[in-house]
Amino acid sequence: MARVYNLNTGGGADGQPKIDFDAELNPQQLAAVKAPPGPALVIAGAGSGKTRTLTYRVAYLLENGIRPENILLLTFTNKAAREMIERVSSLVSLDSRALWSGTFHSIGNRILRRHAERVGMDRNFSIMDREDQKSLMTSVVKDSGLDIKALQFPKPQLLSDMFSMARNTGANLRDHISENYAYYDHLSDEILKMRDAYQDKKLDTNSMDFDDLLIKTLTLLREHDDLRELYQHQFEFVLVDEYQDTNLIQSDMIDLLSGEHGNLMVVGDDAQSIYSWRGADFRNILNFAQQYPGAQTYKIETNYRSVPEILSLANSAIRGNTEQFEKELVAHRPDQDTLPALVMLSDTNTQAIFVAQRIQELLEEGVEAKEIAVLYRAHYQAMELQMELTRQGLDFNITSGLRFFEQAHVKDVATFMKFVANRSDEVSFLRMVKMLPGIGEISARKLWQQWQKCEGAKLEKVDGFSKYLLDFKVPVKAAKDWKQLTYTLDELVDVDGELQPPSMMITSIVEGVYDDYMRAQFSNYENRKMDIEQLENFSADFEQVAEFLTQLSLLAGTDTDVSGKSKRNEKKEDAVCLSSVHQAKGLEWKVVFVIWLAEGMFPNSRVLEDDYDDSGLEEERRLFYVAVTRAMDELYLTYPLIWPQAHSGQVMQTPSRFLSEIPTDQVEEWKVAKADW
C-alpha cells in the first residue's frame, strides 16, 4: 500500500529552525515547493529561479520528515547536482551521501554496481569514455574481416554516434541509417552486424558505454520485479531537473522509478527544448499530464535576470509556436528605457566590424569583457567576427568549439594547398596522404621517401602530379583513392604549373577527395561542410595561395608566453564569449549580440526545406528564444543584407522570419553601412 503523506505540517527537523518559505520564495515558487504529493509539472520560465525552486522543494520534503535516502533528484550535469545539494545543505542539516542525487548516468551506475550480474556483467565493470569506445569499436571493425577501406565504411566514432542515437530514441537502426545517413544505406547489413559485434565485445570485456548505464538500468527495472519494487519503494519522492531535455530511455526510467508512490515532480521549460538533434523528446514535457493523470501544473513566470524591454521581446519571440505551454515572463527588474537594437548591416564583414566596434565602446563604458557574449546558430557564422576581433586585439573565448581556423577539417583542406604550394612540406604531405583509406604512419612515410626521390619534387614548377605519383608503390587497399588524390592534385595547378586561385583549389579538394572523407569521418558532416563552404567564401578575397595560407596561419597561429608555452587554448578570465546558442543555454551576460539573423541561417536552411511538419521550425524558434533570454541589460539583433560567396557572388539575404514576429515598438532599428567606419 502506498504511504499517505501529510506535507505542510509545519514541523521542522529536530534542533533546526524552520525555514520561512513564505519569505524566501515568491508566490509561484512557493506553490510549487509546497505542492501536495502526487505528480506535478513545474514550468519554470527563463531566469525564474528554477534551481532555487528545486532546492527549496528538497528542503521542504526534508523538513516534513521525508528521509534523504527516500528522495531521488535527477539532473543532467554533475555540476547542477552538486550545486543543489550544497544549497540544500545550507538550509537544513543533511548527510548529502544519503540523498540520491546526480545525473541519470550516475544514478544508473550506482544501481548497476549493485546488480550488474542480473544483466550478464560483473560489478567491477569498466565505463568507457568516447576514446575508449572508439578503440573498442576499432577493434570490432578490425576483427570483422570486412574490407572497410574498399567499402568506404563509416569510421568507428561515426558508428558509435549512429548506434547511440538509435538506442536513445528507440529508433530502428536500419531506419535511422536510411533517414540520416542515406549515403550508407547500401551498407546497412554490415553496419547492423557491426552493432551486434560491438555489443558482444562489451560483454566479453566487461565494459559499458554511457548509453549502457541507462539502457541496462532500464532492463533491470523492467525484467526483474524484485529490483523494480525495491527501488520504487525506496524512492518516495522523485524530482527531475530540465525535464524538457529527457529522451525516451530517460523518460521510461523516470516512469519506472516513481511508479509505486507516484510522487514525481518534473521541472523544466518547454520553450527551451532545443536538443532533439541529440535525442531529447519534446513530447515528454508536452504530454506530461496525459502520461500522469491528475498531475498538477505550476508556472513560474517572474524573471530575475532581464530588464522588461528584453522580456517583452522574448515573449513575442516565442508566441508563434503552437505546441507550447502558454506563459508570460514578467520582469522583477525595473524598466531601463532602452529597447533592444535591431541592426541591419550591409554585408557580413560589416556585421563583424560593427559588433567588434560596439564591444570596444562597451568596454570603454565600463562593461567587463566577460559580461559580453556573441551568439550564433552555427559555428562557421563566427568566422568573420573571429578575424575582426583578432585584428582589433580584443580577447575572446569560444565555448562552441575551437577557433574556426584551428578546426581539423579546415586544417585538412589547407593541407592539400600547403603541399602544392611547398612541395618540400613533409608535415602537410603526411597529413594529406594519411586521410586515404589503407594508409597509416608507416605507409605515409614510405610514400614521402618516394616523393623526395622523384623528379617532381625537384622541379621549380609542376604542371601535374599524376605523371609522377601514379607510379608510386602504394598499399593495394589504397590504390583507387591514391589515383583520385593524384588527379585532384593535378587540378590545383594549371597547364603552366601555376597555382590555381584558392577558391578553385578548395572546390577541387572537396569534390575530389575530401567530401567523401568528411562523410565517413564525422557525424556532424553537414555542419563541417558549411564550415568549408564558408572557408571557400573567405578565400575568394585572395588571388594568391601564398597570401591566403599566410593569413590562415596567422589567424590559427599559436600565442606563446616567454617560455614558449602555448596560450591559445587557455581560457582568458576577462574576455568576450563567442558561443553557439546551444552551448549558451543556462548562461547569462549583461550584453548579448545575436548575429546572422537571416533566413536559412537562423532559422537553419535544413529546417526550412523540411516539408513534413513544423516541429523543426518550432525548435528553431525556441532556440531564438533561448538566445534572447540570455541577455540581462542590452540585446543586439543583427543581420547582413549581403553574403559574399565564392561562386555565387553577392547573395542577397532576407531577414529572419523571427525578426518579423517582433512588434516594431519593441525594438530600436539601426541601419549601419560601411561608410560608418
Side-chain angles (χ1 to χ4, degrees), residues 46 68 91 106 114 118 140 188 240 266 269 312 472 639 651:
L91 296 171
S106 67
R114 297 179 172 188
R118 300 279 194 108
V140 168
S188 289
V240 184
V266 301
D269 184 6
S312 295
F472 280 25
Y639 65 95
V651 176

Side-chain angles (χ1 to χ4, degrees), residues 40-43 238-241 243 254 264-268 285 288:
L41 169 64
V42 181
I43 301 297
V238 178
L239 298 92
V240 184
D241 187 22
Y243 187 68
I254 292 165
L264 170 63
M265 175 176 282
V266 301
V267 182
I285 192 168
F288 185 83

Side-chain angles (χ1 to χ4, degrees), residues 48-119:
S48 65
K50 170 181 64 68
T51 301
R52 185 177 183 83
T53 302
L54 264 176
T55 299
Y56 275 81
R57 175 62 174 177
V58 174
Y60 181 73
L61 293 174
L62 293 169
E63 279 224 338
N64 279 272
I66 306 302
R67 295 165 63 89
E69 58 266 30
N70 297 134
I71 299 173
L72 172 62
L73 174 59
L74 290 164
T75 65
F76 272 85
T77 67
N78 290 312
K79 179 183 177 183
R82 285 193 302 270
E83 181 182 353
M84 280 189 262
I85 294 306
E86 287 171 2
R87 291 195 191 184
V88 172
S89 297
S90 69
L91 296 171
V92 297
S93 178
L94 171 70
D95 179 0
S96 59
R97 294 170 298 178
L99 188 130
W100 281 61
S101 172
T103 65
F104 286 87
H105 294 90
S106 67
I107 296 300
N109 174 61
R110 191 169 173 180
I111 292 173
L112 288 167
R113 290 294 178 189
R114 297 179 172 188
H115 316 289
E117 70 281 352
R118 300 279 194 108
V119 290

Side-chain angles (χ1 to χ4, degrees), residues 1-68:
M1 175 181 286
R3 176 179 167 186
V4 176
Y5 298 90
N6 184 22
L7 300 182
N8 204 17
T9 61
D14 292 342
Q16 288 291 317
K18 185 178 182 301
I19 300 169
D20 189 348
F21 291 96
D22 292 12
E24 295 289 333
L25 304 166
N26 70 39
Q28 290 180 328
Q29 293 171 337
L30 184 66
V33 165
K34 290 190 172 183
L41 169 64
V42 181
I43 301 297
S48 65
K50 170 181 64 68
T51 301
R52 185 177 183 83
T53 302
L54 264 176
T55 299
Y56 275 81
R57 175 62 174 177
V58 174
Y60 181 73
L61 293 174
L62 293 169
E63 279 224 338
N64 279 272
I66 306 302
R67 295 165 63 89

